[in-house]
Amino acid sequence: MGTGPTIITPLDFRGQTPAETTRRPPWRRRVMTLVVLCLVALLAAAGWFVLTAQQVTITITPDPDTMRVEGSWRLELAGRFLMRPGPYEVSATAAGHHPLAETIEVVRGGDGQFHFELQPRPGIVSIACVGADAPDTLIAGAQTRVGDRPPAPAPITEIELDGGEHAVEVRHDRYQTLLTTIAVEGFDRRQSFTLTLRPDWAPVEIATTPVNASVWLDGVEVATTPCRIDVDSGERTLELRAEGFEPWRRTLAIAAEEPVTLADITLAPVRGTLRITTTPPGGQVVVDGDYAGLAPVEVEVRPEADLLVRVARDGYEPAERTARVGARQVTDVAFALTPRLGVIRFDVEPADAVLFVDGVRQGLVPPEITLTAEAHRLRLEAPGFTPFIRDIRPRVGVPQRIQATLTRLVVTGEETADPLAASTGYRFASIEGGTYTMGASRRERGRRANESLRTIELRRPFAMGVREVTNAEFRVFRKEHESESGDAVPLGGADRPVVRVTWDDAARFCNWLSVKDELPPVYVERGDRMHAADPIPTGYRLPTEAEWEYCIRSGPEPRRPYPWGAGSTPPAPIANLADESAAQVLGLTITGYDDGYAGTAPVASFPPNALGLRDLAGNVAEWCHDYYSIPASDPDRTVVDPTGPPRGAHHVIRGSSWRHSMISPLRSSFRDYSAQKRDDVGFRLARYLTEPTP
């Protein structure tokens, strides 16, 4: 196809109108359109955000130094926030506080309130100790406990403690324990506390004649006199020693910060000891004109000097001797007194009457008897007759006659044992003795390891108190004694057994009654302690442990475990034990047992045993003569009249008491011991009826 000619057609010319001359380029219109669309979108987004966001308030106490909120869409307006629902991280800091880092969850419809508290940081604390006696000097090593922290030696430097009050306890060997509080500010602030400890000692000033005596405190040499020493509080043993002088000893009760002055202490020159005995015992002893007491007696005297010792005893010729003793030596001076004798003749009915002289059995009444010219108590007894008693003093060269017809005794059902009365009315049962097995078999229920099996033979006749010594009897000897212990149980009645007495108290009572009844005292006082004479004379004493167990085992079944038989529950009423009436006081009692007494009972309130003895079981446990020991178990060897070891720290206690309810102490073989008084321990009397065998 061919190409034809192009025809150009002319147009009419016309000029641009004003509107046409100002029309923008197309690209500018596109930009404007885009801007408008963006504004519309932003306005729509803002509207959407405003309509869908949650108003949130975040408060922090105290006001933080910095605070940041990170998370989704949020807008802060005047301390408040508009936030879309979702999690946000809130962090804040403030001086002296731990940083805050918390996550919050904004939910649609929530209250939008969030409150946080910044936690204060602990304070930095240092603690030091000084003494009130030296406030400028730090005390090293004082064990310091702050709150529940383990104790640490002071000074303590820069430990972290939370703000507030903290308890502080400080202990030191030489200072009183301090209990106090410290107020810690916290907030990283540094504080130092200086605690003042009060001395736990007192100054003691000592001056002696002579000077330069060595000072020993609790067995350690610490100074020489004159001196001033600091002594820790409490009971302290002070001893002063100087060559050629007797040691000076005292127990000091030191109170903290209370000075003690021991001035003008004159030490005594060294002494010797005269140990003076008389046969028979009881002679009055005078050394160089000074009364020294009744023999046997130990007397401290000046050494290396000739001393005149004189002795006298009613019914015996006086005697004297010169003695000399070395320094710190013991010299024995023994006098065999020559009796001044008189004759007593008897005309007595019935013919089988038995004679006791000063409580010692002599056998059937002889036609006549020769006695020392001193006061004697004669007692004539026969079964079924009232005893005949006569006090008499034989005369040298002038025989005396006693004519007596005993009166038949009307039996009233009282004690069946043969009683021997002391001058106070205290009664005894005459015990002939015998052989028995002491202790308990290993198979016995409730047995203790100290109850060794031994074969005992009691050869020397003795008298055992029918009952325990009462408060009324003991107060004749020591009127100020009080048995009450403060518990809500009656212990102090006149007819109740005396309690709260030491073994030494009981031994002194025995000696007092022996002197009163003109019997030879059994116990010798050395220092502040009582010791038994050897051999033991016929005066009043405490029962030996072997005598005591022999008496409680009397009856047809001596090997029965309990005083009342084989069963652990006693038949009521048979003894004053921890019964149900004492439940509020003791707590642990014997179920179903009621003896009617919450504390001690009047003596002899319960039936006697086969020997006529009362209250060996129950009421109060009883002091015995013996020092406590645990002898070897040897039933194949017979021990005759044992009196215990020669020395010890404790004495034997036998028997149950009003406090006992358990199986072990209710048994006949139960053994206890002590060196202290108790509110359930008393005693009864005993004495030998024959003189010791040479």
Side-chain angles (χ1 to χ4, degrees):
M1 175 172 153
T3 304
T6 302
I7 300 176
I8 301 174
T9 304
L11 298 174
D12 292 334
F13 174 81
R14 59 181 180 88
Q16 290 181 328
T17 63
E20 291 175 332
T21 59
T22 59
R23 183 175 298 172
R24 296 172 179 164
W27 64 269
R28 293 192 64 184
R29 288 197 301 271
R30 287 194 295 271
V31 169
M32 289 300 293
T33 300
L34 182 59
V35 168
V36 170
L37 291 175
C38 288
L39 289 174
V40 171
L42 286 173
L43 290 174
W48 170 80
F49 176 76
V50 169
L51 292 175
T52 60
Q54 181 74 29
Q55 181 175 312
V56 175
T57 300
I58 300 175
T59 57
I60 298 176
T61 304
D63 292 338
D65 297 332
T66 64
M67 186 182 78
R68 295 183 60 189
V69 179
E70 296 182 355
S72 183
W73 290 46
R74 63 195 181 281
L75 178 63
E76 183 177 3
L77 298 172
R80 297 185 178 182
F81 295 87
L82 286 178
M83 296 182 177
R84 286 277 300 152
Y88 293 84
E89 300 294 330
V90 178
S91 60
T93 61
H97 293 76
H98 291 287
L100 175 70
E102 296 286 346
T103 298
I104 63 174
E105 184 75 27
V106 178
V107 296
R108 189 181 303 278
D111 62 5
Q113 301 292 322
F114 296 94
H115 178 73
F116 300 100
E117 291 189 4
L118 296 178
Q119 298 301 312
R121 288 187 55 77
I124 310 300
V125 174
S126 297
I127 300 175
C129 298
V130 298
D133 56 313
D136 296 328
T137 303
L138 293 180
I139 299 174
Q143 292 296 310
T144 306
R145 180 191 295 273
V146 181
D148 295 330
R149 289 171 172 260
I156 298 174
T157 58
E158 296 193 347
I159 60 173
E160 291 187 348
L161 294 177
D162 293 335
E165 288 196 345
H166 293 262
V168 179
E169 178 183 10
V170 183
R171 294 182 179 272
H172 191 278
D173 291 342
R174 299 224 60 212
Y175 291 86
Q176 300 176 47
T177 298
L178 174 66
L179 299 175
T180 188
T181 58
I182 58 175
V184 178
E185 296 177 0
F187 303 107
D188 278 336
R189 296 171 187 167
R190 296 180 181 275
Q191 291 176 273
S192 294
F193 297 92
T194 301
L195 307 180
T196 300
L197 305 183
R198 305 298 306 179
D200 195 25
W201 71 84
V204 178
E205 294 189 5
I206 307 171
T208 63
T209 301
V211 297
N212 295 323
S214 61
V215 180
W216 295 70
L217 188 66
D218 292 337
V220 178
E221 186 174 6
V222 295
T224 57
T225 61
C227 63
R228 178 190 180 280
I229 58 176
D230 292 332
V231 180
D232 293 343
S233 66
E235 284 198 352
R236 299 287 178 259
T237 300
L238 178 68
E239 183 174 351
L240 306 176
R241 303 178 187 176
E243 186 67 28
F245 293 85
E246 293 288 351
W248 182 94
R249 297 182 184 88
R250 291 291 186 277
T251 298
L252 303 180
I254 301 297
E257 301 185 89
E258 294 186 10
V260 176
T261 300
L262 301 174
D264 301 327
I265 298 175
T266 300
L267 303 183
V270 292
R271 311 281 279 178
T273 300
L274 286 178
R275 187 159 55 202
I276 303 166
T277 60
T278 61
T279 304
Q284 298 184 20
V285 179
V286 177
V287 179
D288 265 11
D290 294 326
Y291 178 71
L294 298 178
V297 65
E298 293 184 358
V299 186
E300 290 188 350
V301 296
R302 64 185 185 278
E304 308 303 339
D306 291 329
L307 305 169
L308 181 60
V309 181
R310 293 175 174 170
V311 297
R313 192 184 192 282
D314 192 17
Y316 293 82
E317 298 292 344
E320 64 180 48
R321 186 179 304 169
T322 299
R324 174 184 285 263
V325 63
R328 294 194 176 93
Q329 300 297 313
V330 178
T331 297
D332 288 309
V333 182
F335 291 88
L337 301 180
T338 302
R340 301 172 66 244
L341 301 175
V343 175
I344 307 296
R345 294 170 178 163
F346 297 94
D347 184 4
V348 176
E349 290 291 339
D352 61 347
V354 175
L355 171 64
F356 289 82
V357 178
D358 299 327
V360 178
R361 183 188 181 101
Q362 305 295 320
L364 294 178
V365 178
E368 67 178 37
I369 188 171
T370 300
L371 299 174
T372 55
E374 60 182 321
H376 295 280
R377 171 166 289 187
L378 306 182
R379 183 184 184 94
L380 307 176
E381 297 183 2
F385 291 84
T386 300
F388 173 89
I389 299 174
R390 172 70 58 83
D391 292 327
I392 194 168
R393 181 184 292 272
R395 295 194 292 269
V396 177
V398 181
Q400 296 171 270
R401 179 176 295 278
I402 293 179
Q403 292 180 318
T405 300
L406 277 61
T407 304
R408 286 198 172 275
L409 177 67
V410 178
V411 178
T412 62
E414 293 298 317
E415 289 88 346
T416 59
D418 187 15
L420 301 169
S423 60
T424 59
Y426 186 87
R427 304 179 71 184
F428 294 85
S430 178
I431 312 294
E432 292 297 330
T435 301
Y436 77 104
T437 301
M438 184 177 182
S441 165
R442 293 178 182 272
R443 295 187 298 273
E444 184 172 302
R445 185 184 177 199
R447 179 191 184 272
R448 298 174 68 183
N450 63 356
E451 299 170 16
S452 310
L453 279 175
R454 294 190 297 161
T455 299
I456 303 295
E457 181 182 355
L458 299 178
R459 290 182 185 171
R460 193 174 174 189
F462 65 96
M464 177 71 97
V466 170
R467 55 171 175 76
E468 294 147 343
V469 173
T470 66
N471 283 307
E473 289 166 330
F474 194 81
R475 287 171 188 151
V476 176
F477 162 66
R478 185 177 293 171
K479 64 180 180 180
E480 71 276 8
H481 179 75
E482 182 54 69
S483 288
E484 295 290 357
S485 63
D487 292 336
V489 291
L491 302 175
D495 59 353
R496 310 218 174 206
V498 65
V499 293
R500 300 181 70 240
V501 291
T502 65
W503 185 92
D504 291 299
D505 293 333
R508 290 187 180 96
F509 178 89
C510 292
N511 274 8
W512 167 79
L513 189 55
S514 293
V515 172
K516 181 179 176 65
D517 287 2
E518 298 182 347
L519 294 173
V522 170
Y523 300 103
V524 178
E525 188 156 7
R526 299 185 189 131
D528 59 350
R529 298 297 306 275
M530 304 296 288
H531 303 270
D534 185 18
I536 298 174
T538 57
Y540 299 119
R541 57 177 172 81
L542 298 172
T544 68
E545 184 179 13
E547 292 169 344
W548 194 98
E549 187 164 332
Y550 177 84
C551 290
I552 201 171
R553 289 191 180 279
S554 65
E557 300 177 65
R559 293 308 303 164
R560 59 189 181 182
Y562 301 93
W564 49 81
S568 60
T569 301
I574 197 170
N576 178 23
L577 304 167
D579 66 328
E580 291 185 341
S581 69
Q584 292 185 343
V585 177
L586 303 179
L588 190 61
T589 60
I590 302 173
T591 303
Y593 184 74
D594 187 355
D595 55 47
Y597 297 98
T600 55
V603 297
S605 294
F606 295 88
N609 71 357
L611 295 177
L613 308 177
R614 298 173 183 264
D615 295 332
L616 286 170
N619 219 12
V620 294
E622 300 175 9
W623 287 115
C624 285
H625 175 87
D626 312 43
Y627 281 112
Y628 175 78
S629 67
I630 304 178
S633 183
D634 188 3
D636 295 330
R637 184 174 70 91
T638 299
V639 183
V640 178
D641 291 330
T643 58
R647 62 187 60 86
H650 303 85
H651 283 90
V652 174
I653 296 173
R654 293 301 302 261
S656 52
S657 79
W658 62 273
R659 283 186 172 275
H660 288 143
S661 62
M662 303 298 289
I663 288 175
S664 186
L666 296 182
R667 296 173 308 110
S668 298
S669 59
F670 173 72
R671 304 180 71 221
D672 199 358
Y673 64 92
S674 182
Q676 306 296 325
K677 57 189 177 184
R678 292 183 357 203
D679 66 359
D680 70 332
V681 175
F683 67 98
R684 73 177 65 222
L685 302 181
R687 59 181 294 246
Y688 284 124
L689 296 179
T690 60
E691 296 291 348
T693 302

